[in-house]
Amino acid sequence: MTLQAYQEIFCRMIASSDYRTRLIENPATIFEHHDLSDRERRRLTAMADHPGMRVNAAIHRANRLTPLDQTLPFTCFLLGQRLGPLLDRYWHDNPTENLQLPAECARFADFLAAEMEAGRLLDPVVSEVLAFERACTELRFYTEQELRLQAGSAGRLPPQVRVLRFQHDPEQLLTALSELQPPPPDLAEGEFHLAIDARSGEPVFRLLDQQLAAALLGR
């Protein structure tokens, strides 16, 4: 259908600057797989090169960034200048936006985990903070039943409780990030366990000793 193809190309132009550039430089390669009239092709080409399209793209990026800023603010802060290129790759791989906070948090967290596994992002602090913020988001937005289903039969703890392992002192680390400061250079390293208890609605955080952590985790 012509209208569907037209709308698809228009949305992709807004979502991807790379796609828009390819359309401007060689529109035939973009249009050859779509059922479009000559008039629609001319209009799309003109819109792609219009200065206002950059404004549309900037607004779109801001809208897509909002769910990540609300659910993964410490992770985004830690990534710093690496965030821009990572977002470009993420949005290229996921052109369809999802403004549901927990869903977009999980999708971007999975993307970052894949980047780490592939060796393109090597930062153990980011990995720890990412796991922390993902857990906080799930405990905040998921119902008890959803959390129970997520844990499955392997869940030993109440569904609203998580115990996370850190290689860096989580108190020092999270305190610095809450004040929009980078991790301190003397950040203590070792094995730490942080419990997040959201059974009362508001999460309560507690640093566990090794014996209690082992008991809770069944080790």
Side-chain angles (χ1 to χ4, degrees):
M1 295 177 63
T2 299
L3 179 59
Q4 181 178 348
Y6 185 89
Q7 291 175 334
E8 177 186 342
I9 293 173
F10 179 74
C11 290
R12 290 194 66 182
M13 284 196 299
I14 295 175
S16 172
S17 58
D18 177 66
Y19 182 84
R20 189 171 67 255
T21 299
R22 287 189 286 116
L23 191 153
I24 293 170
E25 293 177 348
N26 194 353
T29 60
I30 300 294
F31 296 146
E32 64 180 347
H33 301 297
H34 298 279
D35 180 19
L36 296 167
S37 68
D38 291 339
R39 183 179 184 184
E40 288 170 332
R41 292 170 185 243
R42 290 194 302 270
R43 284 185 171 181
L44 287 168
T45 303
M47 284 191 292
D49 202 26
H50 192 282
M53 188 58 70
R54 297 184 181 87
V55 177
N56 287 333
I59 294 173
H60 177 79
R61 287 176 68 92
N63 288 337
R64 291 207 67 179
L65 184 58
T66 296
L68 303 180
D69 183 60
Q70 292 181 348
T71 58
L72 301 170
F74 293 171
T75 301
C76 292
F77 175 78
L78 278 173
L79 288 171
Q81 294 183 347
R82 296 171 292 180
L83 180 61
L86 284 167
L87 286 175
D88 286 338
R89 292 205 297 275
Y90 170 65
W91 288 335
H92 180 271
D93 294 343
N94 300 274
T96 303
E97 60 187 297
N98 188 335
L99 300 183
Q100 297 297 316
L101 297 183
E104 187 67 353
C105 170
R107 188 164 68 167
F108 189 55
D110 287 341
F111 168 80
L112 291 179
E115 291 289 296
M116 294 176 190
E117 185 175 351
R120 291 187 291 267
L121 177 62
L122 301 175
D123 193 324
V125 175
V126 168
S127 177
E128 293 169 7
V129 172
L130 177 65
F132 168 78
E133 291 192 306
R134 182 170 188 170
C136 288
T137 298
E138 292 172 352
L139 293 172
R140 176 185 174 189
F141 288 101
Y142 290 175
T143 66
E144 180 179 347
Q145 183 179 5
E146 288 171 330
L147 291 169
R148 194 179 301 279
L149 289 173
Q150 186 183 54
S153 59
R156 300 177 56 90
L157 299 171
Q160 306 97 326
V161 176
R162 301 286 177 86
V163 175
L164 303 179
R165 181 178 179 274
F166 284 76
Q167 294 177 312
H168 303 86
D169 185 342
E171 289 186 324
Q172 283 185 291
L173 175 59
L174 298 174
T175 296
L177 293 174
S178 68
E179 297 172 354
L180 295 181
Q181 298 294 326
D186 58 347
L187 184 61
E189 297 186 15
E191 185 171 353
F192 305 88
H193 291 87
L194 181 70
I196 310 173
D197 187 344
R199 286 177 292 181
S200 64
E202 289 296 322
V204 176
F205 305 98
R206 179 184 175 188
L207 194 61
L208 307 177
D209 59 40
Q210 298 297 329
Q211 184 175 0
L212 181 56
L216 291 175
L217 296 173
R219 294 177 180 175

